[in-house]
Amino acid sequence: MKTLRIALFALPVAAAVFSTQAAEQKPITLELPKPIKIGTPVPIKGVRNLDPNVADPAPLMIPADATVISAGKTVTSSDAYPVIGELPLITDGDKEGSDGSFVELGPDVQWVQIDLGAPQEVNAVALWHFHSQDRVYHDVIVQISNDADFVEGVTTVYNNDDDNSSGMGVGKEFSYKETFKGRVIDGKGTVGRYVRCSSKGSTANEMNHYIEVEVWGRAKK
């Protein structure tokens, strides 16, 4: 009987621990721009690993104390002189797809990089490319590191380059069609000061466009 009493007592304790853990998480909630479509739709062709899930996924669960830690932070890029726009637009909170809200970088592999100021725990990266016209961006790769040059200690949290054409390894994630809802990527609690997002043109043209990169996280534990 003594053993039975111990086992029965353990059940509510375990339930309480689970309840506390669940309470420490929250669904990520984004402020979304207005959906707009301009121009004549361009057929999306030649994408081998397009995400088949057209329904909205369940929101990513992140720590309850996670906030946007990228707002107003310094942005650098592989293209120091964007064709259109200025790099601060990428962390200014404006996610609209209209003119004046996006940055256009040159062709081939290009990246934008956010300096969070200090190592932070990254729980999510919400990414908006140009979404006012139907398109899929190629080789979308999101990496986190404490090395500003991304040579050492690099963690890749998203990679849909299925043939290593960008030279950062073969990725297993899906390519996806751009929408006003952006793409939410699990940061997996990776600790790092810098967040780098890469792409290699799109099904619309060879240029690379970034509207907003929103990093959610919290102080390093």
Side-chain angles (χ1 to χ4, degrees):
M1 293 298 294
K2 183 176 182 181
T3 302
L4 179 61
R5 284 197 296 271
I6 292 173
L8 291 174
F9 178 74
L11 287 175
V13 172
V17 171
F18 177 82
S19 176
T20 300
Q21 291 174 338
E24 294 175 348
Q25 298 286 307
K26 67 178 180 182
I28 189 170
T29 304
L30 305 175
E31 292 187 8
L32 298 178
K34 295 176 292 186
I36 59 172
K37 291 293 181 183
I38 58 175
T40 302
V42 178
I44 294 174
K45 299 179 179 179
V47 180
R48 293 186 296 271
N49 62 336
L50 189 62
D51 192 343
N53 183 14
V54 296
D56 287 338
L60 178 68
M61 299 300 293
I62 60 176
D65 57 349
T67 60
V68 177
I69 56 176
S70 56
K73 291 298 195 301
T74 299
V75 182
T76 54
S77 172
S78 54
D79 189 346
Y81 301 99
V83 180
I84 297 175
E86 298 179 349
L87 295 176
L89 291 174
I90 295 171
T91 56
D92 69 348
D94 181 0
K95 304 163 189 173
E96 301 294 332
S98 55
D99 291 345
S101 298
F102 67 91
V103 175
E104 180 179 271
L105 308 181
D108 205 10
V109 180
Q110 300 285 357
W111 51 259
V112 296
Q113 180 172 307
I114 298 170
D115 181 356
L116 299 174
Q120 304 281 335
E121 179 186 297
V122 177
N123 305 117
V125 179
L127 175 61
W128 284 263
H129 293 109
F130 194 71
H131 55 77
S132 297
Q133 296 174 343
D134 290 342
R135 64 186 62 191
V136 172
Y137 282 85
H138 304 302
D139 298 4
V140 175
I141 301 171
V142 178
Q143 298 174 310
I144 302 166
S145 180
N146 280 318
D147 178 7
D149 296 323
F150 277 73
V151 175
E152 299 180 349
V154 177
T155 299
T156 300
V157 295
Y158 194 90
N159 182 353
N160 65 21
D161 177 6
D162 65 353
D163 59 2
N164 195 29
S165 59
S166 287
M168 288 177 268
V170 175
K172 297 181 179 180
E173 278 77 27
F174 287 117
S175 295
Y176 58 92
K177 182 178 176 181
E178 293 295 330
T179 76
F180 72 101
K181 297 178 181 179
R183 189 74 168 187
V184 177
I185 293 163
D186 189 351
K188 304 175 183 177
T190 305
V191 174
R193 174 173 173 171
Y194 304 96
V195 177
R196 179 179 286 192
C197 302
S198 304
S199 58
K200 191 181 179 184
S202 73
T203 53
N205 56 59
E206 62 182 1
M207 309 302 276
N208 295 273
H209 306 90
Y210 289 86
I211 291 178
E212 190 78 10
V213 180
E214 194 170 81
V215 182
W216 288 71
R218 56 185 182 172
K220 177 183 174 183
K221 297 294 184 181

